[in-house]
């Protein structure tokens, strides 16, 4: 079995989720590779050491530049805030590493395009982590749609709702700073809904959207006064898909009671599917059969359902963390076949163009085309 050395940049929530995936993947999936949790990198030396010990990394480091340049590293996994994705990805591509990057790909279209150009120029495998594609029930929905069981797709209705910043005293963490996060609910969680929309229905041609910030000033995490919130707390968009389908996406961190409510419903001429992450092992399916049979719920835990054969017997349910394990299993499969993994950085650019069009529409108060999204924003060329 060939070993592949992984370097993880960032060790907070996503870094923990990715560490678990790298640890578990070889124990359940037969990918032909043994990923080695070689080195985890973060700026705070004491904290990154603690993270390395807890998460199972052999080494820890504080300078990503040194880590990415190491000849013994095969895969660079980027789990940092959005403002550092660009330089890390450029360096990783130049060093000919396989690159996995957390979503959204970048903070602006211009940055995302530079990242795509770099991996294409270097000819390295690249993957964006939109883990929800890899919930078995979502992958099953994709199979059902691709088989034509829903007929012509007409509607996509996506919501991604959380409530973790509803308290105005919640501090202005990095996710509430445009310079670090790019946008608010739109990029953080709306990007997941939009990725599912593109994955399951198709490319988006134009959007009408608006963004809103309810709490514009918050206490700074240092405890030293307050600071402005310059990203959206909530985002809405209507979508016209290139294939004629219509859609809507809502993303909010102010939906009291909703913790990680990532749902979508898709309606086609012959049937519909509905998914809710908080019941992630289930897919609701309606097939129009003239008998008013209604929706039925499929428990997507049979060995025949995507990814499930690697795990437990039917009914022994999977959780959030498995979606990341499936992501890295598919990345390792791509390393083996050298077929481009999906979603790729090209998908990341496409997603970023939709985010940008929604922001433009919120400013112009008009429908905005996605394809003409210009390179703009706080990009650093
Ligand atoms: C935000 O709260 C967040 O952690 C996102 O950044 C993740 O992508 C999402 O999976 C869960 O929520």
């Amino acid at each position: 079995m060939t070993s592949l050395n992984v370097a993880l940049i960032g060790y907070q929530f996503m870094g923990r989720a990715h560490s678990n995936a790298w640890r578990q993947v070889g124990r359940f999936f037969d990918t032909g590779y043994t990923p080695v949790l070689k080195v985890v990198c973060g700026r705070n030396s004491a904290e990154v050491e603690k993270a390395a010990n807890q998460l199972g990394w052999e080494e820890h480091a504080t300078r990503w530049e040194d880590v990415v340049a190491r000849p013994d590293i095969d895969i660079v996994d980027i789990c940092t805030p959005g403002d550092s994705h660009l330089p890390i990805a450029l360096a990783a591509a130049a060093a000919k590493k396989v690159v996995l990057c957390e979503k959204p790909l970048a903070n602006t279209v211009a940055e995302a395009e530079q990242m795509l150009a770099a991996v294409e120029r270097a000819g390295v495998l690249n993957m964006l982590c939109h883990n929800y594609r890899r919930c078995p029930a979502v992958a099953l929905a994709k199979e059902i749609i691709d088989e034509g069981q829903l007929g012509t797709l007409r509607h996509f209705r996506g919501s991604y709702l959380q409530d973790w910043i509803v308290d105005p005293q919640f501090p202005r963490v990095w996710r509430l700073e445009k310079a670090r996060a790019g946008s608010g609910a739109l990029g953080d969680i709306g990007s997941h809904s939009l990725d599912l929309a593109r994955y399951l229905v198709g490319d988006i041609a134009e959007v009408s959207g608006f963004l809103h910030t309810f709490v514009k000033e918050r206490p700074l995490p240092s405890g030293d006064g307050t600071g402005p919130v310059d990203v959206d707390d909530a985002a809405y968009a209507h979508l016209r898909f290139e294939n004629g389908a219509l859609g809507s996406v809502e993303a909010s961190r102010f939906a009291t009671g909703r913790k990680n409510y990532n749902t979508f419903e898709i309606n086609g001429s012959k049937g519909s599917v509905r998914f809710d992450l908080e019941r992630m092992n289930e897919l609701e399916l309606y097939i129009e059969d003239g008998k008013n049979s209604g929706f039925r719920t499929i428990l997507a835990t049979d060995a025949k359902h995507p990814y499930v054969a690697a795990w437990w017997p039917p009914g022994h349910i999977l959780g959030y963390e498995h979606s990341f394990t499936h992501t890295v299993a598919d990345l390792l499969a791509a390393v083996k076949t050298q077929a481009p993994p999906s979603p790729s950085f090209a998908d990341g650019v496409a997603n970023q163009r939709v985010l940008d069009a929604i922001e433009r529409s919120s400013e112009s108060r008009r429908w905005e085309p996605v394809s003409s999204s210009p390179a703009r924003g706080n990009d650093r060329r």
Side-chain angles (χ1 to χ4, degrees):
M1 190 94 77
T2 314
S3 293
L4 288 175
N5 288 338
V6 183
L8 177 75
I9 320 295
Y11 54 83
Q12 300 290 348
F13 178 15
M14 281 308 112
R16 291 171 59 221
H18 287 226
S19 298
N20 179 66
W22 288 118
R23 266 197 325 267
Q24 290 294 77
V25 66
R27 300 191 170 118
F28 289 87
F29 288 83
D30 185 10
T31 63
Y33 295 105
T34 306
V36 178
L37 283 73
K38 197 56 157 177
V39 54
V40 58
C41 183
R43 282 173 304 185
N44 181 317
S45 143
E47 290 299 316
V48 75
E49 179 173 3
K50 213 157 78 184
N53 291 334
Q54 191 186 14
L55 302 173
W57 293 86
E58 284 181 9
E59 301 171 33
H60 53 88
T62 52
R63 278 178 44 85
W64 64 259
E65 293 87 342
D66 300 339
V67 169
V68 168
R70 276 172 57 158
D72 62 336
I73 296 300
D74 300 297
I75 300 175
V76 173
D77 184 355
I78 306 172
C79 289
T80 54
D83 62 337
S84 52
H85 288 187
L86 172 68
I88 300 172
L90 296 192
K96 301 277 183 204
K97 312 299 184 191
V98 172
V99 197
L100 173 63
C101 185
E102 256 304 316
K103 48 46 62 178
L105 185 58
N107 281 358
T108 66
V109 173
E111 291 177 357
E113 285 174 346
Q114 286 179 74
M115 291 168 72
L116 175 60
V119 291
E120 284 183 343
R121 202 167 40 239
V124 295
L125 287 178
N126 54 92
M127 188 182 200
L128 180 64
C129 184
H130 273 297
N131 54 302
Y132 299 120
R133 287 188 181 203
R134 291 176 163 86
C135 295
V138 174
L140 175 62
K142 171 77 173 156
E143 284 181 8
I144 289 170
I145 290 168
D146 286 353
E147 285 163 13
Q149 291 192 52
L150 303 191
T152 305
L153 301 183
R154 300 266 161 72
H155 295 292
F156 175 89
R157 218 166 287 112
S159 302
Y160 201 147
L161 307 178
Q162 300 179 339
D163 70 356
W164 56 278
I165 58 171
V166 74
D167 177 357
Q169 292 310 308
F170 186 89
R172 197 203 60 172
V173 293
W174 70 267
R175 284 200 181 283
L176 305 181
E177 267 184 83
K178 191 172 177 64
R180 299 207 66 202
S183 64
L186 176 67
D188 183 24
I189 50 180
S191 69
H192 277 306
S193 291
L194 291 163
D195 178 68
L196 291 172
R198 289 188 59 253
Y199 175 56
L200 296 166
V201 177
D203 274 320
I204 297 161
E206 57 173 352
V207 304
S208 163
F210 70 93
L211 310 178
H212 187 78
T213 307
F214 296 106
V215 177
K216 297 191 169 62
E217 189 87 13
R218 287 181 180 271
L220 292 172
S222 60
D224 205 9
T226 61
V229 174
D230 55 0
V231 297
D232 56 288
D233 289 329
Y236 291 78
H238 284 145
L239 318 170
R240 275 187 205 281
F241 290 84
E242 287 178 0
N243 61 13
L246 306 176
S248 66
V249 161
E250 177 189 7
S252 176
R253 295 156 165 171
F254 272 70
T256 38
R258 297 298 182 196
K259 303 302 171 188
N260 204 31
Y261 183 79
N262 176 6
T263 65
F264 64 79
E265 180 168 301
I266 296 171
N267 312 117
S269 56
K270 296 192 206 158
S272 301
V273 286
R274 181 180 174 277
F275 172 77
D276 169 2
L277 181 72
E278 290 178 351
R279 305 184 68 88
M280 69 164 270
N281 290 273
E282 299 175 358
L283 181 70
E284 290 181 34
L285 174 68
Y286 173 80
I287 297 293
E288 185 66 55
D289 61 3
K291 293 185 202 149
N292 281 331
S293 53
F295 276 88
R296 67 192 168 95
T297 302
I298 299 168
L299 187 64
T301 60
D302 285 0
K304 65 174 190 270
H305 294 136
Y307 303 105
V308 177
W311 297 102
W312 316 118
H316 294 67
I317 58 176
L318 302 189
Y320 174 68
E321 70 274 24
H322 296 88
S323 63
F324 292 91
T325 309
H326 301 162
T327 300
V328 301
D330 286 346
L331 178 57
L332 294 176
V335 172
K336 181 144 210 173
T337 60
Q338 289 295 301
S342 148
S344 63
F345 280 20
D347 291 293
V349 169
N351 194 305
Q352 205 83 41
R353 287 181 183 280
V354 182
L355 300 178
D356 184 84
I358 293 170
E359 290 198 55
R360 281 188 287 119
S361 170
S362 183
E363 283 162 22
S364 69
R365 297 179 168 239
R366 303 155 80 106
W367 281 85
E368 294 286 349
V370 169
S371 57
S372 66
S373 281
R376 62 168 210 162
N378 58 344
D379 51 295
R380 291 156 291 126
R381 282 172 185 275

